[in-house]
Amino acid sequence: MSIEDLENVALAMVAPGKGIIAVDESTGTITKRLTAVGLESTPEIRRAYREMLVTTPGLKEHISGAILYDETIRETTSTGEPFPAVMRKAGIIPGIKVDKGPKPLAGFPGDVVTEGLDGLRERLQEYVKLGAQFAKWRAVIKISEDTPSSTAIEANCHALARYAALCQEAGLVPMVEPEVLMDGDHDLAVSYEVHEAVLRSLFSALYEQNVMLEGTILKASMVIAGTDCADQADIDDVAEATVRVLKSTVPAALPGIVFLSGGQTDEQATAHLNAINRLGPHPWPLSFSYGRAMVSSALKLWAKDTKANVAEAQKIVFARARDNGLAALGQWSSGK
Ligand code: 13P
């Protein structure tokens, strides 16, 4: 696949007013989410839940792609067709999470590093055969008194860049995700400093590994005060700090940036994205790749009756997609 092909997929992922739905929770994480709403995490419940999400009628009006987890990309929907085929017919680009999760970084208590590079070339080739067009790798950066160390930042960004180069070799658009967690009592200024260090390290590592930025998407966290910080920044301050750090660290050659929701409420995630886009025009489209802020309300309703509530739950998914799609254009207003 040429760089032009990769660039075309990347541009389609961030088409105006469209974003991505993250349906790629690992089995451990999805089990937590399902248990929290009173469901048992069986393979069939997970399959049915993910089918409900990606077959939402009209989803492509506001959603360009969906990130799947390994078990889902191999499964079929209730019509007997593989998930990626059903999605492509519905105008949704199939993506796949390929990292193997964060593990403690030896020698640096509190820091983690994401694993999954061994055997990645072969796994990517298989995902391409299964129909994936982009991939995702999530690095986790924790803010505390002692973390993140510069070693943790470098180790994670090095792994992200190695992963991104392998993706492009395989013909997949890499979505590189260095998530700075919201957990902690740090304020907005600390979040800004950590984001700045992480993004500088990331783009230097991508350059060192010969990754073509034109065929890469950044999945970023917003610059936001820690959940336990007494001094919560208002929406416009979060938007201003987020745009400032991106402009000072991310090259304009990148086709687009999508945000994760990271534990923000539905309303916060949409309001922040909208405020960010109101500050535009920006050098890149700024859109969303939300998991929790796209699906949590729909999951609650679906859990009450997983057969009868499919259509109603899908209406909620559609409404979240529409609101976030409007926010990606800076055209959302609360209460609409
Ligand atoms: P959240 O939006 O729930 O943070 O999930 C997005 C994601 O894919 C994190 O890797």
Side-chain angles (χ1 to χ4, degrees), residues 252-314:
L254 204 78
I257 301 172
V258 291
F259 294 102
L260 58 99
S261 59
Q264 299 181 46
T265 65
D266 290 5
E267 175 97 11
Q268 279 175 330
T270 305
H272 283 144
L273 180 62
N274 193 58
I276 284 169
N277 279 296
R278 289 254 170 101
L279 293 174
H282 300 303
W284 343 255
L286 294 174
S287 190
F288 62 95
S289 173
Y290 292 160
R292 281 164 285 179
M294 271 295 304
V295 304
S296 302
S297 329
L299 172 58
K300 269 190 208 134
L301 180 73
W302 183 73
K304 290 187 186 143
D305 189 330
T306 59
K307 297 243 157 31
N309 284 357
V310 169
E312 286 304 309
Q314 288 179 328

Side-chain angles (χ1 to χ4, degrees), residues 18-336:
K18 291 194 188 189
I20 288 170
I21 179 169
V23 191
D24 63 330
E25 297 87 354
S26 63
T27 303
T29 303
I30 192 73
T31 297
K32 264 191 241 157
R33 308 257 194 272
L34 293 171
T35 311
V37 292
L39 290 173
E40 197 190 338
S41 178
T42 63
E44 178 48 26
I45 285 282
R46 296 197 290 271
R47 199 203 57 73
Y49 170 58
R50 288 159 168 165
E51 175 169 348
M52 180 275 288
L53 294 174
V54 302
T55 60
T56 294
L59 198 61
K60 73 165 185 199
E61 285 174 43
H62 309 288
I63 294 289
S64 56
I67 317 171
L68 302 176
Y69 183 57
D70 182 78
E71 73 176 345
T72 315
I73 200 168
R74 301 169 189 285
E75 286 171 331
T76 55
T77 65
S78 45
T79 60
E81 285 171 288
F83 267 76
V86 170
M87 287 162 58
R88 277 162 101 140
K89 265 192 222 162
I92 308 287
I93 305 170
I96 179 73
K97 169 194 176 73
V98 303
D99 66 74
K100 297 217 161 166
K103 303 282 155 51
L105 179 63
F108 293 85
D111 275 324
V112 291
V113 64
T114 299
E115 294 191 346
L117 287 173
D118 287 357
L120 183 59
R121 173 176 277 128
E122 292 72 24
R123 290 198 291 125
L124 294 179
Q125 285 162 358
E126 188 192 5
Y127 288 136
V128 168
K129 282 198 196 119
L130 289 167
Q133 290 183 275
F134 72 96
K136 184 193 102 171
W137 176 292
R138 173 175 175 257
V140 177
I141 304 293
K142 296 187 183 182
I143 302 184
S144 70
E145 286 279 297
D146 308 316
T147 63
S149 62
S150 54
T151 307
I153 293 175
E154 274 169 36
N156 276 293
C157 291
H158 179 79
L160 274 165
R162 293 270 317 277
Y163 138 84
L166 284 163
C167 282
Q168 292 189 334
E169 179 191 88
L172 290 164
V173 171
M175 177 186 273
V176 291
E177 179 183 13
E179 175 173 2
V180 178
L181 294 184
M182 282 166 62
D183 302 345
D185 60 4
H186 54 276
D187 63 12
L188 192 78
V190 170
S191 175
Y192 184 98
E193 272 174 38
V194 173
H195 275 87
E196 186 176 34
V198 168
L199 291 168
R200 280 204 197 295
S201 174
L202 175 63
F203 283 93
S204 155
L206 292 172
Y207 174 74
E208 294 294 334
Q209 298 296 329
N210 274 346
V211 174
M212 296 171 286
L213 295 185
E214 292 79 0
T216 302
I217 293 287
L218 171 66
K219 176 158 174 166
S221 37
M222 294 180 190
V223 177
I224 196 165
T227 327
D228 299 329
C229 178
D231 183 18
Q232 288 295 319
D234 65 26
I235 290 169
D236 289 333
D237 290 340
V238 169
E240 186 276 328
T242 301
V243 168
R244 191 155 44 92
V245 83
L246 292 173
K247 279 192 178 163
S248 70
T249 56
V250 181
L254 204 78
I257 301 172
V258 291
F259 294 102
L260 58 99
S261 59
Q264 299 181 46
T265 65
D266 290 5
E267 175 97 11
Q268 279 175 330
T270 305
H272 283 144
L273 180 62
N274 193 58
I276 284 169
N277 279 296
R278 289 254 170 101
L279 293 174
H282 300 303
W284 343 255
L286 294 174
S287 190
F288 62 95
S289 173
Y290 292 160
R292 281 164 285 179
M294 271 295 304
V295 304
S296 302
S297 329
L299 172 58
K300 269 190 208 134
L301 180 73
W302 183 73
K304 290 187 186 143
D305 189 330
T306 59
K307 297 243 157 31
N309 284 357
V310 169
E312 286 304 309
Q314 288 179 328
K315 280 188 197 155
I316 301 178
V317 177
F318 183 84
R320 293 299 301 132
R322 183 201 56 214
D323 283 2
N324 289 317
L326 286 170
L329 299 168
Q331 291 172 3
W332 175 80
S333 56
S334 62
K336 243 190 193 172

